[in-house]
Amino acid sequence: MIKDVKYYLSKGLDERMAHYYASGRKKIIAVEAHEDYSLTIAFDNGEKRWLDCKTFIKDGTVFEVLKDYNVFKRVYVDSTHSISWDKDPAIDSEKVWSNKIDLCPDSSYVDSIPIEGEQCAG
């Protein structure tokens, strides 16, 4: 079966996510935090993309702790190629899963915008 946009739409995905999956999933290979609470994300297909995190860093959410820039700037790519933050850097989030906040590579790609003229080594 061909897994094209039409296929993914038939599975209930929205238009943007259907196009993403039809073009092939991407892995995050690097991430960089900026003082304006945005991220530059490098993907394994050579793209660099920009993600505005202010839209989801809100009081009363799991992301609230990221309002502290000292926490936000500790972003890293975890073993599943997700964008991650440890709430407490002294705790191993591989052992204590509730210490980690993360964003999956798929939504990170779909919700970000390409940085024109920026490419990275794949």
Side-chain angles (χ1 to χ4, degrees), residues 104 106 108:
C104 79
D106 304 325
S108 296

Side-chain angles (χ1 to χ4, degrees), residues 3-6 8 17-26:
K3 293 186 177 179
D4 58 5
V5 173
K6 193 180 285 188
Y8 289 107
M17 204 54 101
H19 279 279
Y20 167 78
Y21 276 100
S23 69
R25 297 179 75 186
K26 284 79 172 163

